[in-house]
Amino acid sequence: MSAQDTRPVPRVVVIGAGIVGCSLADELTARGWTDVTVLEQGPLPTPGGSTSHAPGLVFRTSPSRTLTAFARYTVEKFTSLEADGVPCFQQVGGLELATTPERLADLHRRAGHATAWGVTGEVVGPARCKELWPLLDESVVLGGFHTPHDGLARAGLACRAQAERATARGARFLDRHTVTGIERRDGRVTGVVTDRGTFPADHVVSAAGFWGPVIGRMAGVDVPLQPLAHQYARTGPLPGLSGATAEATKPILRFQDRDLYFREHHDRLGIGSYAHRPLPVDPFVVPGWDEARARNMDMPSSYPFTPEDWAPSWEDCRRLMPALRGAEIESGFNGVFSFTPDGMPVLGESRLRGFWLAEAVWVTHSAGVAKAVAEWMVNGRPAVDVHECDLTRFEEAQRSPAYIRERGAQQFVEVYDVVHPLQPIDRPRPLRVSPFHARQRELGAYFLEGGGWERPHWYEANAGLAEDLRLPARDAWSARHWSPVAAAEALATRERVALYDMTPLRRLEVTGPGALDFLDRMTTNNLRRKPGAVTYTLLLDETGGIRSDLTVARLAPDRFQIGANSPADLDHLLRHAPAGVHVRDITAGTCCVGVWGPLARDLVQPLTADDFSHEAFGYFRARETYVGHVPVTALRVSYVGELGWELYTTADLGLRLWDTLWEAGRGLGAVAAGRSAFNSLRLEKGYRAWGVDMTDEHDPYEAGVGFAVRRDKAGFVGKAALERRGDPVRRLTPLLLDDPAAVVLGKEPVHVDGRPVGYVTSAAYGYTLGRCVAYAWLPAGLAAGTGVHVEYFGEKVPATVADEPLFDPRMTRIRR
C-alpha cells in the first residue's frame, strides 16, 4: 500500500503456521497488509503438520509451468534466508535416474520442460551419475537428469525466518489456538472462533494443510483434498558417508522407476517411498498435538511406520545402492501429505467472500504459492497464471467425497509415473456422458476424459476411411492416444461433413433487464447488437490479461447464451452480476452437436422449415428453430474452419437430435468425428484454446485476438490497462515443422540461433496441410520465414515461422 493510501489495513487471519502460513504472513506484510494474525493449534516452532516432517526436497521442473514458477521463487527466496546463521536452502542439486529406456526418454522430455520454463539442467550418462552419487551401482543406471540449482529446503528454519520478518512488520503468531468455527455474515467472512477467543477478520486464509477440509467445513466450503500417509525411513550410519560434516553434499536423488527418493542426513540416508499401497487418512479424525503425544506419536502428521509396506522398496534400494545391503533401517514413520484429484494445489477466494484457500501445497512450491496468494489478495490477481490451481476448476461431479478419495489415492500412485499429456483417469469412469454416448459406443468411440466428461477422440467405425491414407509413421510417444482414423475424420470434415459432440462445451445463460449492460461492461467486444447476433469476445482482468474468451449469443433482448471455458467463468460472472441479472450454468441440462463441413447445409436444410442459406442465416448469427422434431438453438459458428452450425437442445431430446442428423447424413457420407480431428482442424485455422494458448498472463494483442477488442467502447473491464500497455515484446506465433514426418505435442522449448526463446503451447498434425502445426510464445520480432528449432525429447526439430491463418485465410469456406 502506498504512503498516500488512507484505506484501513485489512485484518487477515491465517489458519496454520506451517510453511505456507509463515510464507504468506511474510508476503502479505511485505505488501503493507500488516494486520496479520497466524493461528496454530500446535506448539511453535514445530506445530506438527506436514511441514514439521517434510524431507525438504525441491525439484523445480514440472510439466506445469505454474508449479515450476512457484518452485523457482521458493528456491530464490529460501536461498536468501537464514535462521541462527544457517541457510534455509542448501543448493546441492538434483538428480533423477533412469533405469529403463522409457524413463530415460522421459528425462529428455523433462529436460525440455526445464529449458522451456527457465531451469538449468541436462541429461547425463551413467558415469556422471556415478560421479555425482558414488553409492550407485552404475551398471543398472542408463542415465540421469541433473539440475545443479535444486536442493534441500530447511522448512522449519524457513518458517522461523519468515515469521520473524512478518512479526517485525506487525504480524503476530499465536500457537495453541484450535479453530472451532468461522463467523460469517451476508456472504462474507467476519471472524475466526478458537478455543481461546474470537478473532475478527476481513480475510481468512486456510493454510491448514491436511486439516483444510476440517476448516473448510466450518466455513461451508468444500476443500477437495485427500490426506495420505507416505513412508519415510532413515538408515543407520553408512560407511560410504562416514565422516560427513555437512548435512548433505550430494544431489537429492530420485529413483522414479521404483517410486523412491533419497537425501543425506550427515552419515545416514533418508529414503521416501511412494511404492506402497495408498494409505488414506481421514482429516476429521487426525489427533491434535496432545492426543498424538498420548498415542506415542511424534506429532499429528507422523503415523507409525508399517514395515510390511516398506519391504519391497528396501530391496529396490539395495539393488540400486550395494552399500545398503549390509545396512539397517534405524527409524521410520508414515508422514501425512495432501493430495487433490489432479495433483495440483487448491488456491483462491471461495464463494464465501474473504475466505481464501492455500491448500495442498508442498514445501517445493510454498513460497511461490504464498507470493501468488498475497498478490491475489492485495492486487486482485497473481503475477503468474494460476488457473490450474484455482479452487473453482473442479466440477460439481468432481467434488463428491468418493471422487476426492479415489482420485487423491490415484494421484499418490502416479506421483512418479510417466504420464502422457492425454492420459485419462482410469476411474471413476464413466462419470459424465452426453446423450449421444450410446451411439458413440456403437461407433467404436475411443474415449478420453476431461472435466469428468467422456470425450470421443476418434471412432473405429471410420477405420476403413484411413486405410488408403499415406501418413508419416509416429514415434511411440506421439502415437499414444492417437489413431490414423483421426486423419480420416479431419479430411472428411474438410471434404464432406461431420458430426462433433460439443456437449462438454460450457454453456451459461444470462438473463434479466440489466443483462446487456452487465455483459457489455464485462467483455471487450460490442454486444449491443440485435437479437440473433453472435459475438466472439474476451473477459479481461483489470490489468488487461485474458481471463477467458467467450462466444455470446443474444437470443432475446434480455437473454444471452454464452459459450465459456471453465467453472471460473461462472464464478467470475456471478461475483460481478448486479441485482436483477441472473447467471446460471445450463451445461448439464443441454447438449450440442457441431455439424461442420462443405455439405453441412445439405444435411441440415432439409430438416428445418427455416432458411439456412448464407443470405438468410449468416455467419455469427443465432436462431431458435426446429431440426426435425427437435427444438434447437442454432449458432452459425465454426471452430474447425468449415461451414456449419452448433445445434443445441435439451438433454432429453439429445439422442433424437443425433439420430435425426445421422440419418440425414447417410447419403452425404457424413461421419462422426472426435476431438483429435477437431484439435487438428482448429490449429490449422489458428483458433486459440484458452488455458493452453493464452491465459491472464497475456493481453489480446500478444495472443492474436485483438480483433475481439472494441477500443472505442466505453468502460469495459481492462480497457484502461490495455491503453497503458506498449507494443508486445512476445507473440503467440504459428510454426510449421519442416519435416512432414515430425510431430510435437506441446510444452517443448523453441530455440532461435541456438538459444531457447520460448515454448510451444499446443500442437497437432495438420492433415490438410501435411505438416505439424505448433503455436508458441516467441519474441515479437520474428518474421514469417524465420527458421527455429523445437526441442522434442532432446532432438532439435527444424520449423519455420508462418503467417496465419494457415488454412483458408480469406474465410471463404466458412462464409458460403
Side-chain angles (χ1 to χ4, degrees), residues 202-281:
D202 303 301
H203 296 272
V204 174
V205 185
S206 177
F210 58 78
W211 282 290
V214 179
I215 302 300
R217 180 175 291 181
M218 296 178 192
V221 174
D222 291 333
V223 180
L225 177 162
Q226 174 61 54
L228 288 109
H230 155 62
Q231 291 201 303
Y232 191 78
R234 290 198 194 195
T235 69
L238 297 175
L241 301 177
S242 61
T245 55
E247 179 184 1
T249 59
K250 299 174 183 60
I252 50 178
L253 185 70
R254 275 175 167 169
F255 181 23
Q256 290 139 304
D257 287 326
R258 290 294 181 270
D259 296 309
L260 292 164
Y261 63 82
F262 304 82
R263 57 152 295 179
E264 297 166 277
H265 293 280
H266 296 284
D267 62 350
R268 293 163 166 80
L269 274 188
I271 308 170
S273 172
Y274 294 100
H276 55 83
R277 62 195 167 96
L279 300 168
V281 173

Side-chain angles (χ1 to χ4, degrees), residues 515-527:
L516 175 59
D517 290 340
F518 166 59
L519 290 175
D520 203 46
R521 175 173 56 84
M522 296 297 293
T523 64
T524 60
N525 214 336
N526 177 30
L527 301 185

Side-chain angles (χ1 to χ4, degrees), residues 103-306:
R103 181 67 63 177
L104 183 60
D106 191 60
L107 294 187
H108 281 286
R109 185 172 68 108
R110 287 180 62 75
H113 289 147
T115 301
W117 313 146
V119 175
T120 301
E122 64 173 337
V123 176
V124 298
R128 178 60 173 152
C129 293
K130 177 73 171 178
E131 182 182 344
L132 291 166
W133 256 90
L135 298 184
L136 295 176
D137 180 352
E138 184 180 350
S139 68
V140 304
V141 176
L142 299 182
F145 176 45
H146 181 220
T147 47
H149 301 135
D150 289 340
L152 291 167
R154 297 185 172 100
L157 291 182
C159 283
R160 285 178 51 198
Q162 293 179 101
E164 289 169 4
R165 298 202 315 186
T167 300
R169 300 186 191 110
R172 57 177 176 167
F173 287 73
L174 304 177
D175 64 0
R176 295 294 192 166
H177 281 65
T178 299
V179 174
T180 59
I182 303 295
E183 292 187 333
R184 39 191 160 149
R185 184 173 59 250
D186 299 328
R188 281 204 64 91
V189 70
T190 59
V192 177
V193 182
T194 76
D195 58 351
R196 298 174 66 177
T198 298
F199 296 82
D202 303 301
H203 296 272
V204 174
V205 185
S206 177
F210 58 78
W211 282 290
V214 179
I215 302 300
R217 180 175 291 181
M218 296 178 192
V221 174
D222 291 333
V223 180
L225 177 162
Q226 174 61 54
L228 288 109
H230 155 62
Q231 291 201 303
Y232 191 78
R234 290 198 194 195
T235 69
L238 297 175
L241 301 177
S242 61
T245 55
E247 179 184 1
T249 59
K250 299 174 183 60
I252 50 178
L253 185 70
R254 275 175 167 169
F255 181 23
Q256 290 139 304
D257 287 326
R258 290 294 181 270
D259 296 309
L260 292 164
Y261 63 82
F262 304 82
R263 57 152 295 179
E264 297 166 277
H265 293 280
H266 296 284
D267 62 350
R268 293 163 166 80
L269 274 188
I271 308 170
S273 172
Y274 294 100
H276 55 83
R277 62 195 167 96
L279 300 168
V281 173
D282 184 347
F284 292 90
V285 300
V286 173
W289 177 271
D290 294 322
E291 184 184 351
R293 303 291 286 196
R295 294 188 193 177
N296 293 319
M297 297 166 62
D298 289 338
M299 60 185 74
S301 62
S302 179
Y303 277 56
F305 194 64
T306 48

Side-chain angles (χ1 to χ4, degrees), residues 78 95 123 132 151 192 244 249 284 357 405 452 482 493 569 726:
F78 288 2
L95 180 63
V123 176
L132 291 166
V192 177
T249 59
F284 292 90
L357 298 181
R405 281 195 304 272
W482 173 85
T493 307
D569 296 339

